[in-house]
């Protein structure tokens, strides 16, 4: 890779030095007094060097080592010289601040902050530095002549060139749609892999499909197409995408998978692999692992062990360039990706190389064929070459590119073409792109932050007509148009984040950037064991490891010239040496401390400071001496309550992010003096004293982007804010709803797109017709959206939200009505809630255009483009049109896809469904009776009066996929919906049960929680599938998930059970079923695909079989052969279990106080039969072994066992060897816990057998010498409030990570198993263990401990020495006071009073924070 790109981005560095040396500030404040001669010489020398850089770079590219060394030395000198002139600049800014009175405000702190402010001292120190720089420059010029470096004529043009042509670059990166071409070119590949994944639906083993191909072939794009395929999204319950890239650390990969999950995971105290196993357990998931390089089999096997807990049909799709990696992961299904056909390569090149249809010269089109050959079927190579050709307009230039671009080969791949693409960039763009090496591969880069980092490091050349930010955007767009950036996405702003654009870099392009930066850029995602990894030449450092303080605090003597430090992990402790990095230009830290850890006097050159999501309460006042600071990000600092009072002197500040800081009560005074400020995300307008800024301070600031004004007083003048031409989003929050007219004439400029208003007290507002999104909250006096003489159109409005508008009566008040005008022609999302007086939607004009001409003269629509409509808590809402006289006409929502209606007590019916007789637009609804022809999701909740679906019969929802109905007491039927896949009914009437059959051919998820009734007699039970339907129905139901609550009609001997139809059912939940008395063996026999079974609150379930027991020969259950998870809760009558299958991995039994065994009767009887065939001499042994084999024999795969409040369980003996998690809580009768281990001594067991024909009496055992043997693979053990359990010694197996024992009176000691490695505990929690006296005395046991609690264990007199030594490094501790005192060395005993005071103070502050949180 070192030879791949040798073009160094040095020219911009020298040009930056030239610009700094010519800055007007140096002369204005006379900071180079006494150094004028050296200054003049330097300014003459720099252009000489700039003139020869191009020749030096060409010689270096030709592998001339002298030129390479000269350029490297030039880079070092340029960096040092830039730092010197940064000091001159800061001195100029300091003198300017002093002139403006900052010293007087700082008082005596000036001496501490500016120890070298004496001009004579400054002149002497800086003169010496400038002389050294000049000497180095002279040496370089002398060597320049020795190497024969020549001047080039195009240098002068390159130095002053405009970065890009700005006329058309704004949207260049969307010239073509790469996904559209990819979807056509890779359709066959996509279909092949999709068929493989779908075809594994009944496969219990994990399916792994590696996609193999050279870099740039489109493996990731193909994986994206598969991932987003509708069939795949419908088939898999959980989809996850993770980019792995170079480093395959198992825990890091597991954590990345957890972070990618949409499901919240709160078990953050558990190891990532355990959490991952829990996440995928029982779920049919698709996991994409993008860009795998790992060849270490054991790492993949560790991850695979957790992934194998997924549901049937789970799959892992990987992309890799390495065939050996594919063989390791899944050789049997490897998919080798072929090159793209030349026709598609040509299409990509043409689309990239020509900006429009009118600019395709025939002579250039003829040359495309030759370019196609050089790409060798690589879409990335085609994109890169096409992007280069976009800037070339002559045949000669095209020929030059064609001759310079090497043909892709198997050895080189497409890297030579990417090198050409990079080398074709202007110098400053090379530098900007190369800096992106600081981000990890596949990192989602915030474009705005990226441009700010470019500016902070001086990479953006100044342009007279544009701001640095504008120039930076042009550079980004140019790089995006050349395919250096991809996956460009835009996100809306919210309370936590601003509106933002993100992008990624292709991993091969990332390799290019890394090759350019070399050791100047360092990325560390895991803590290195040594500090040698950081070179002395490192300038940009990115940390994403767990404890960054460890790295930062050992770097005091290494790389003192760091300019960019981005720390993406939490910093919890002090930074000892960070103050020595005086060269920092950009710094990102997330501080989990209340105070600011840095000292401003060491950070004079800082331009970019990101402290977002920190826990700091305030910034120190001396931060105002950071006169160079341009970006200060304090967003989402939830404890921040004030800003520095002297911020007005930070005159370089351009972007201040303060959103997400709820405790910020006011703004510092005179913020209007920050005339460079372009971004201020949140301004607190409350004036709490004389030293505050009010909203008038913003009058003359040219703010843009997102602005929120909060705590506005009633008559504060804010209307002028709408005139700020660069604002895109404005939020106004009043402190309370008071009479106000400040927005009566509000007319924002056309560029303002989003308006959010809270608690405004006016009755109406000004003209908002240019808005794209409007949000109105708690404007309780607002009566209408607008008042005017004639209705107008919201021509751009796409989102409208109205919430808590208590006085809102109508949509507008006008003098002249125009019926046929559509007020909301493009509105896509409408949310209305808590508007108690609103009776209907706005009047619906007749549909016009093609729809009107096709015979729909009586069809009306107020929202022809609406896709989402949500209405909630509308007490008066009853009409679908605001005009009474139109009620007899049909209302249609032609594009509506999601409709949610909740708490509208007067609504009785949906709008009438017109009979659509011809085409309506392009979709066509011939002879379809539907008011909602495009509806996919319908939610109806708490509609007390809703009775029917339409005034006419046979309402049809032709596209409906999801139907949710909750608490609609008058609803007695269900609508026609031939494509319904998900039906959920909560608190529905029992009669509605009989309408479900119409969906059985399409449903995949069914949730029926009906109203509770008296216990249904068995004679009243009826099938969900009527007899006439059964006769016509020959296919099996696609249903995979079913939840039944109070559905007595499904069970009982009188029910015609439809379970034969549900052969694909994977998850079944049954609760509150009173007729369920016996285990439904006929049901179990039919459910051959069931993976998860949950039964709860079935009060009459006993479990006793209806027929005499007929044991199988092996005792093995023949039912539910694929069951993996079983959960039983709150079944108070349950006595016996059914015969659990061997496939079971998870068993939870909670609040079943009568259950006597966790195995089925038949499984025990099988053992008795085998025992009775033995001779009398060995009979006692057979009986004694009865308890030693059932679980190992019948549950060989069981990994998780949880028992809670099962008071009749007397013993849990001989747990299966496969068990990894064991949790027992409040099972007061359990006395014995044991596991049969092959090579270990067996406990002596005495067993008595009951002669009861139903269940043998459970065995009672005692372990020899009071020892308990646990399963050898156990990782988690939790025993809570089982008083008499675990008597004697408990030996801990080596894999154990988590040990929790509370409320025990028999356990005496914890010990490691002899002859095995000691366990490595993460969590040790021992409480109320009255007899426990001894803990393991092995250092390894406590080495990884991050949670420790030992409380109310009186027999533990002293902690083991190895544990005492670890106390200081354990993050979370809860110890009795005597253990804390014992841990102190004698010389530190005098510190006890201080420690007590600190602990009391911390506890008090914690209580205050908790109370504050509760009040909020």
């Amino acid at each position: 890779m070192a030879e791949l790109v040798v073009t160094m981005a040095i020219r911009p560095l020298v040009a930056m030095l030239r610009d700094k040396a010519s800055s007007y500030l140096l002369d204005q404040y006379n900071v180079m007094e006494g150094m004028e001669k050296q200054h003049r010489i330097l300014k003459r020398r720099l252009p000489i060097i700039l003139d020869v850089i191009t020749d030096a770079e060409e010689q270096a590219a030709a592998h001339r080592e002298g030129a390479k060394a000269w350029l490297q030395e030039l880079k070092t000198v340029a960096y040092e010289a830039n730092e010197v002139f940064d000091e001159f600049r800061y001195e100029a800014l300091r003198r300017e601040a002093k002139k403006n009175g900052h010293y007087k405000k700082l008082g005596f702190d000036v001496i501490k902050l500016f120890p070298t402010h004496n001009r004579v001292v400054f002149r002497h120190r800086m003169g010496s530095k400038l002389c050294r720089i000049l000497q180095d420059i002279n040496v370089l010029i002398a060597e320049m002549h020795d190497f024969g470096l020549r001047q080039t004529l195009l240098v002068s043009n390159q130095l002053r060139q405009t970065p890009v042509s700005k006329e058309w670059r704004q949207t260049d990166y969307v010239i073509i749609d790469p996904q559209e071409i990819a979807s056509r070119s890779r359709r066959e590949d996509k279909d092949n892999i999709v068929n493989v994944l779908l075809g594994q639906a009944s496969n219990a083993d994990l399916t792994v499909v590696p996609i193999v191909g050279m870099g740039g072939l489109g493996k990731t794009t193909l994986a994206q197409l598969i991932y987003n395929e509708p069939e795949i999204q419908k088939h898999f319950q959980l989809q996850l995408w993770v980019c792995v890239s170079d480093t395959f650390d198992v825990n890091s990969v597991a954590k990345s998978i957890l972070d990618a999950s949409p499901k919240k995971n709160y078990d953050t105290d558990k190891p990532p692999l355990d959490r991952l196993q829990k996440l995928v357990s029982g779920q049919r998931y698709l996991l994409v692992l993008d860009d795998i390089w790992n060849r270490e089999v054991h790492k993949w096997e560790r991850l695979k062990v957790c992934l194998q807990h997924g549901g049937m049909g789970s799959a892992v799709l990987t992309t890799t360039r390495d065939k050996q990696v594919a063989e390791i992961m899944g050789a049997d299904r490897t998919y080798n990706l072929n090159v793209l056909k030349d026709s598609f390569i040509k299409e990509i090149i043409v689309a990239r190389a020509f900006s429009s249809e009118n600019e395709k010269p025939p002579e250039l089109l003829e040359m495309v064929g030759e370019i196609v050959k050089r790409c060798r079927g690589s879409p990335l190579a085609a994109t890169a070459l096409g992007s280069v050709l976009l800037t070339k307009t002559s045949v000669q230039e095209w020929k030059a590119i064609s001759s310079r671009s090497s043909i892709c080969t198997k050895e080189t791949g497409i890297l030579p073409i990417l090198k050409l693409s990079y080398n074709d960039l202007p110098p400053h763009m090379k530098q900007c792109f190369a800096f992106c090496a600081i981000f990890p591969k596949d990192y989602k880069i915030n474009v705005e932050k990226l441009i700010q980092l470019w500016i902070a490091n001086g990479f953006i050349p100044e342009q007279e007509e544009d701001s640095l930010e504008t120039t930076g955007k042009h550079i980004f767009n140019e790089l995006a148009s050349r395919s250096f950036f991809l996956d460009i996405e835009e996100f809306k702003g919210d309370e936590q984040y601003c509106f933002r654009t993100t992008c990624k870099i292709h991993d091969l392009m990332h390799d290019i950037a890394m090759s350019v930066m070399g050791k100047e850029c360092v990325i560390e995602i895991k803590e290195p064991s040594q500090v040698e990894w950081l070179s002395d030449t490192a300038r940009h450092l990115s940390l994403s490891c767990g404890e960054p303080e460890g790295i930062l605090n050992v770097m005091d003597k290494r790389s003192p010239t760091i300019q960019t430090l981005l720390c993406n992990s939490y910093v919890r402790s002090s930074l000892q040496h960070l103050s020595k990095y005086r060269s920092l230009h950009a710094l990102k830290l997330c501080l989990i401390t209340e105070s600011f850890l840095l000292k401003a006097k060491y950070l004079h050159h800082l331009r970019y400071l990101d402290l977002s999501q920190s826990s700091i309460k305030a910034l120190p006042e001396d931060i105002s001496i950071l006169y160079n600071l341009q970006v200060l990000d304090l967003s989402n600092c939830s404890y921040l309550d004030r800003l520095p009072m002297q911020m007005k002197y930070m005159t370089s500040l351009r972007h201040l992010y303060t959103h997400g800081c709820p405790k910020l009560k006011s703004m510092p005074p005179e913020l209007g003096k920050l005339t460079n400020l372009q971004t201020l995300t949140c301004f607190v307008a409350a004036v709490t004293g004389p030293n505050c800024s009010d909203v008038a301070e913003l009058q003359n600031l040219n703010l843009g982007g997102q602005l929120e004004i909060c705590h506005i007083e009633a008559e504060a003048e804010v209307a002028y804010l709408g005139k700020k031409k660069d604002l895109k989003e404005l939020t106004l929050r009043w402190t309370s709803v008071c009479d106000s007219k400040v927005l009566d004439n509000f007319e924002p400029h056309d560029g303002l797109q989003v308006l959010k208003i809270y608690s405004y007290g006016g009755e109406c507002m000004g003209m908002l017709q240019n808005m794209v999104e409007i949000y109105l909250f708690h404007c309780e006096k607002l009566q209408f959206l607008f008042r005017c003489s004639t209705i107008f159109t919201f021509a751009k409005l796409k989102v409208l939200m109205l919430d808590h508008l208590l006085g809102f009566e109508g949509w507008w008040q006008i003098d002249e009505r125009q019926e046929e005008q559509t007020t909301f022609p493009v509105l896509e999302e409408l949310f209305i809630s808590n508007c108690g007086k609103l009776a209907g939607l706005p009047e619906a004009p007749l549909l016009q255009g093609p729809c009107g001409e096709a015979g729909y003269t009586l069809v009306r629509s107020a929202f022809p483009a609406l896709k989402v409509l949500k209405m909630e808590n509308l007490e008066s809402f009853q009409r679908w049109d605001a005009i009474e006289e139109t009620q007899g006409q049909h209302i249609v929502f032609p594009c509506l896809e999601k409709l949610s209606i909740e708490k509208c007590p007067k609504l009785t019916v949906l709008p009438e469904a017109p009979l659509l007789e011809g085409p309506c637009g392009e979709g066509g609804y011939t002879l379809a009776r539907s008011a909602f022809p495009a509806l996919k999701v319908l939610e109806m909740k708490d509609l007390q009066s809703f009775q029917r679906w339409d005034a006419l019969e046979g309402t049809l929802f032709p596209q409906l996929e999801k139907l949710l109905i909750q608490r609609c007491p008058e609803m007695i039927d269900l609508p026609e919906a031939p494509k319904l896949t998900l039906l959920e009914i909560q608190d529905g009437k029992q009669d509605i049960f009989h309408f479900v059959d119409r969906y059985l051919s399409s449903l995949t998820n069914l949730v029926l929680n009906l109203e509770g009734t008296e216990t249904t007699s068995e004679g009243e039970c009826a099938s969900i599938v009527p007899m006439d339907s059964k006769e016509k129905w020959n296919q099996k139901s696609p249903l995979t998930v079913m939840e039944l609550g109070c559905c007595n009609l499904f069970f009982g001997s009188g029910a015609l059970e439809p379970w034969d139809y549900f052969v694909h059912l994977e998850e079944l939940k049954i609760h509150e079923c009173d007729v369920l008395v016996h285990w439904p063996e006929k049901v179990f026999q039919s459910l051959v695909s069931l993976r998860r079974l949950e039964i709860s609150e079935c009060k009459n379930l006993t479990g006793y079989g209806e027929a005499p027991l007929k044991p199988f020969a092996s005792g093995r259950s023949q039912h539910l052969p694929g069951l993996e998870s079983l959960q039983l809760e709150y079944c108070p009558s349950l006595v016996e279990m059914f015969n659990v299958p061997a496939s079971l991995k998870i068993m939870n039994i909670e609040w079943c106080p009568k259950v006597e065994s966790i195995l089925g009767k038949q499984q025990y009887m099988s053992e008795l039969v085998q025992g009775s065939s033995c001779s009398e001499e060995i009979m006692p042994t057979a009986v004694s072994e009865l308890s030693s084999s059932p679980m190992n024999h019948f549950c060989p795969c069981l990994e998780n066992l949880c028992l809670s409040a099962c008071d009749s369980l007397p013993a849990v003996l001989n747990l299966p060897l496969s068990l990894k998690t064991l949790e027992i809580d409040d099972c007061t009768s359990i006395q014995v816990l044991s596991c049969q281990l092959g090579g270990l001594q067996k406990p002596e067991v005495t067993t008595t057998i009951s002669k009861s024909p139903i269940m043998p009496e459970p065995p009672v055992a005692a372990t020899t010498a009071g020892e308990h043997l646990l399963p050898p693979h156990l990782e988690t053990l939790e025993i809570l409030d089982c008083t008499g359990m675990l008597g004697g010694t408990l030996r801990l197996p080596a894999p154990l990570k988590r040990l929790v024992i509370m409320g025990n009176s028999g356990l005496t000691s914890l010990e490691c198993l002899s002859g095995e490695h000691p366990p490595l505990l993460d969590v040790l929690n021992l409480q109320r263990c009255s007899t426990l006296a001894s803990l393991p005395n092995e250092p390894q046991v406590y080495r990884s401990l991050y949670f420790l609690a030992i409380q109310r264990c009186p027999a533990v007199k002293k902690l083991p020495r190895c544990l005492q030594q670890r106390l200081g490094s354990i993050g979370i501790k809860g110890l009795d006071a005597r253990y804390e005192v014992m841990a102190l060395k004698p010389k530190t005993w005098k510190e006890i009073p201080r420690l007590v005071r600190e602990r009391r103070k911390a506890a008090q502050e914690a209580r205050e924070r908790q109370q504050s949180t509760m009040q909020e």
Side-chain angles (χ1 to χ4, degrees), residues 211-232:
I211 302 175
V212 184
M214 72 173 186
L217 208 54
K219 301 182 296 297
T220 299
T221 301
L222 175 59
Q224 289 173 340
L225 292 172
I226 297 166
Y227 189 84
N228 294 320
E229 175 68 21
E231 285 187 78
I232 291 292

Side-chain angles (χ1 to χ4, degrees), residues 763-780:
E763 295 182 357
C764 68
M765 295 183 190
M767 308 301 282
L768 308 179
Q769 65 268 36
N770 290 319
M771 293 294 103
V772 178
E773 299 179 18
I774 298 176
Y775 302 83
L776 304 178
F777 303 94
H778 294 276
C779 301
E780 298 175 1

Side-chain angles (χ1 to χ4, degrees), residues 797-841:
L797 192 65
K798 291 189 176 182
V799 180
L800 176 61
M801 178 176 287
L802 309 174
D803 181 36
H804 277 90
L805 310 186
L806 303 183
F808 191 66
E809 298 177 358
W811 295 85
W812 46 74
Q813 190 177 57
I814 57 174
D815 300 331
E816 181 181 335
R817 182 179 174 191
Q818 297 176 346
E819 291 188 15
E820 301 309 319
Q821 186 167 356
T822 302
T823 308
F824 302 104
V826 297
L827 189 68
E828 296 180 355
E829 298 180 20
L830 174 60
F831 306 92
I832 314 171
S833 57
N834 302 293
C835 299
K837 293 185 178 181
L838 186 65
L841 295 179

